[in-house]
Amino acid sequence: MPTPVTLSPELQTPETSDFEIVLGRRQVASVLFVATVLLVVFSAVFYLAGKARVSEAATPMVVAFPPAPAAPILTTTVVPRAEGAKPESPLFADPAAGAVYMQLGALDKGYAVVVAEGLRKRGMESFVAPGPTDKVFRVLVGPLPDADSLKRVKDAVEELGLANFARRYEK
């Protein structure tokens, strides 16, 4: 009969001993690969089950739209310009040779248009003129015929907080 083997006391109590599970790169990669494959398989199964269920239950739906109503006929009315009202000057123009203008800036085209339209709403004769390059445009107010009109425009523009300077354009 074989003799019984006695173990040392520290080997007899496996509940109290600590242990580690060490996974290498290959083991982690294989676990992630298996998880990805399972995810793809479950997704495919659920997709196919849903597609089969929808195709069984779905009946084609016919939508009938009512005929479009006829478009209303619009009439236009020409309103004559009031006597004494001068026509609005174009937004883009070249400065007249020898005339004095108040320049408010050299800006991109979009900004120059916004500034010029804002000045027009405040009653100033402003327009956008070509600048030193193709992408830069000047915002001008004028032409200003005398020193009084120059001072009046300068005060109004400074009240708005805009930088400005007077300039005579020669061609």
Side-chain angles (χ1 to χ4, degrees), residues 14-116:
E15 299 87 29
T16 60
S17 67
D18 293 332
F19 65 93
E20 290 182 9
I21 297 177
V22 179
L23 296 176
R25 289 184 181 174
R26 288 184 179 178
Q27 288 85 9
V28 171
S30 64
V31 167
L32 290 176
F33 177 74
V34 169
T36 304
V37 168
L38 287 174
L39 181 68
V40 168
V41 167
F42 282 125
S43 296
V45 168
F46 286 123
Y47 171 77
L48 292 173
K51 187 175 178 182
R53 188 169 195 184
V54 169
S55 65
E56 292 171 359
T59 58
M61 194 165 157
V62 177
V63 179
F65 291 105
I73 298 174
L74 300 177
T75 59
T76 58
T77 305
V78 177
V79 178
R81 190 175 291 276
E83 288 184 31
K86 61 181 180 177
E88 188 172 326
S89 59
L91 186 60
F92 291 94
D94 287 325
V100 175
Y101 293 91
M102 180 69 61
Q103 181 171 330
L104 301 176
L107 309 166
D108 287 340
K109 186 176 185 177
Y111 293 126
V113 168
V114 169
V115 171

Side-chain angles (χ1 to χ4, degrees), residues 53-168:
R53 188 169 195 184
V54 169
S55 65
E56 292 171 359
T59 58
M61 194 165 157
V62 177
V63 179
F65 291 105
I73 298 174
L74 300 177
T75 59
T76 58
T77 305
V78 177
V79 178
R81 190 175 291 276
E83 288 184 31
K86 61 181 180 177
E88 188 172 326
S89 59
L91 186 60
F92 291 94
D94 287 325
V100 175
Y101 293 91
M102 180 69 61
Q103 181 171 330
L104 301 176
L107 309 166
D108 287 340
K109 186 176 185 177
Y111 293 126
V113 168
V114 169
V115 171
E117 287 179 347
L119 292 170
R120 284 180 173 208
K121 287 181 182 177
R122 296 188 187 278
M124 296 182 212
E125 290 292 323
S126 62
F127 64 96
V128 178
T133 67
D134 291 342
K135 295 186 179 187
V136 177
F137 293 85
R138 294 183 173 114
V139 178
L140 302 176
V141 176
L144 305 170
D146 55 15
D148 291 336
S149 61
L150 177 67
K151 174 118 175 71
R152 188 177 68 250
V153 168
K154 184 170 182 64
D155 291 341
V157 169
E158 286 178 352
E159 186 177 310
L160 295 173
L162 298 173
N164 59 71
F165 63 92
R167 180 174 175 191
R168 182 179 305 271

